[in-house]
């Protein structure tokens, strides 16, 4: 697993793994609550992606899922500058 972070027009946090990935036709389904990958034997409830997408969406961000080469998945969280520049009470 590799984690990278970049700042351009917002913040991007990218997690890349070398696992089996998520087929393109499954990505929308797996963003819904309680949906899990077919044939998985890893414990879980199928909530992770839906929680991340809701949290990031609440600040105007987005979650992108794409293929890593030669195998795996890249999960990228994009947070806009407007969500990063909040004033702190002091």
């Amino acid at each position: 697993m590799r984690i990278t972070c970049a700042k351009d027009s917002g913040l991007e946090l990218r997690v890349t793994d070398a696992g089996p990935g998520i087929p393109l036709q499954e990505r929308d389904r797996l963003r819904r609550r309680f949906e899990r990958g077919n044939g998985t034997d890893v414990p879980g409830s199928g909530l992770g992606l839906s929680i991340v997408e809701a949290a990031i969406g609440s600040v105007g961000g987005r979650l992108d899922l794409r293929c890593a080469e030669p195998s795996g998945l890249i999960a990228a969280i994009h947070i806009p500058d407007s969500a990063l520049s909040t004033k702190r009470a002091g």
Side-chain angles (χ1 to χ4, degrees):
M1 180 181 306
R2 185 177 67 217
I3 300 172
T4 58
C5 186
K7 179 140 178 33
D8 187 12
S9 59
L11 179 71
E12 179 179 270
L13 176 66
R14 190 180 309 156
V15 178
T16 305
D17 71 19
I22 300 174
L24 182 60
Q25 65 273 20
E26 293 286 302
R27 291 182 194 160
D28 285 339
R29 181 181 69 80
L30 294 177
R31 292 172 187 256
R32 295 191 302 255
R33 288 183 286 170
F34 304 110
E35 292 287 345
R36 302 204 53 222
N38 294 326
T40 185
D41 60 354
V42 177
S45 301
L47 291 171
L49 291 176
S50 65
I51 290 170
V52 169
E53 190 159 58
I56 296 305
S58 73
V59 297
R62 71 181 189 280
L63 170 66
D64 292 330
L65 302 174
R66 53 189 182 265
C67 291
E69 296 297 331
S71 67
L73 180 73
I74 300 169
I77 296 169
H78 304 275
I79 302 171
D81 277 332
S82 60
L84 299 173
S85 56
T86 58
K87 293 183 180 180
R88 298 176 189 231

